[in-house]
Amino acid sequence: MLAKRARTALYISLGLAALIWACYFVALLIGPSSLREFGVLPRRLEGLDGILFGPLLHAGINHLLGNTLPLVVFSFLTLLEGVRRYAVVIASSWLASGLGVWLFGGGLTVGISGVVFGLFAYLMVRGIYNRDILQLLLAGVLFLIYGSLLWGVLPVNIGVSWQAHLFGAAGGVLAAVLLSRNRQNRRTSKSGPSRWEDPL
């Protein structure tokens, strides 16, 4: 069962990475206009579709390379919990990052780094909400390896959208909260009402 889940996690993680690479090469064929057409343009109606499409585009090969490995690693680790939970984390991070950039960003923004920060934040905090010692230990290991990423939520680098990182991370934390409540509700329903609960 675990091996099957791990294979599924690996295939989906690599599939998402392949998708952003394919989009990168398609954008190269279309030309620079594709970034402006499909990226997030803050506070402009024509930039709203960038919330959905902007994360699939990248401004250069270094930008793409920098996002690929952490995307695969964090996606794989999150997917080990199941595809549905991963979908919630991805959706929450994707939308929170895009909306945050559209509302507060400083310019045209593309790249999946906001989602990467969302996945990272989720993996860092889920153990707290789930009260899971193994998840907390994994969070500690990830912090030692990728902890420097957290500087990305601050406006320290010119030309880097810290808004995408900050709001993407917020989306990851929100997903951890929502999913922990969902897990607690399932546990309660399986165990049945306690003697202090109304069985209705």
Side-chain angles (χ1 to χ4, degrees):
M1 183 66 179
L2 180 59
K4 181 179 179 181
R5 179 167 289 188
R7 284 197 301 271
T8 301
L10 182 60
Y11 294 154
I12 294 177
S13 301
L14 294 176
L16 180 56
L19 176 62
I20 62 173
W21 275 85
C23 289
Y24 174 73
F25 288 115
V26 170
L28 284 181
L29 294 175
I30 296 174
S33 62
S34 61
L35 299 184
R36 185 168 185 84
E37 185 173 351
F38 296 106
V40 182
L41 289 169
R43 296 169 297 281
R44 297 179 63 173
L45 290 178
E46 63 268 30
L48 276 173
D49 59 351
I51 294 174
L52 294 178
F53 301 115
L56 298 174
L57 302 174
H58 289 79
I61 191 67
N62 290 333
H63 187 201
L64 179 59
L65 285 171
N67 282 333
T68 300
L69 181 58
L71 176 66
V72 171
V73 172
F74 299 157
S75 289
F76 176 79
L77 293 173
T78 304
L79 277 159
L80 290 177
E81 287 190 294
V83 175
R84 291 182 181 179
R85 295 176 72 84
Y86 176 73
V88 172
V89 180
I90 281 284
S92 179
S93 304
W94 198 296
L95 292 176
S97 176
L99 286 171
V101 170
W102 192 82
L103 290 171
F104 304 107
L108 175 65
T109 302
V110 295
I112 205 165
S113 57
V115 175
V116 169
F117 271 76
L119 290 166
F120 181 60
Y122 173 76
L123 291 168
M124 292 296 295
V125 304
R126 66 176 178 173
I128 299 173
Y129 293 104
N130 294 332
R131 300 176 184 176
D132 189 310
I133 187 64
L134 291 179
Q135 291 180 354
L136 288 171
L137 290 174
L138 176 61
V141 173
L142 289 175
F143 181 79
L144 290 175
I145 299 173
Y146 291 103
S148 60
L149 281 178
L150 296 175
W151 288 108
V153 302
L154 300 175
V156 293
N157 294 317
I158 297 175
V160 175
S161 179
W162 61 271
Q163 297 94 335
H165 300 166
L166 176 63
F167 285 97
V173 174
L174 175 61
V177 174
L178 294 175
L179 290 171
S180 68
R181 289 178 178 173
N182 185 43
R183 174 176 288 182
Q184 290 169 4
N185 290 337
R186 288 203 308 271
R187 286 176 178 172
T188 301
S189 64
K190 286 181 180 179
S191 61
S194 71
R195 60 177 179 159
W196 304 110
E197 292 176 325
D198 185 344
L200 297 177

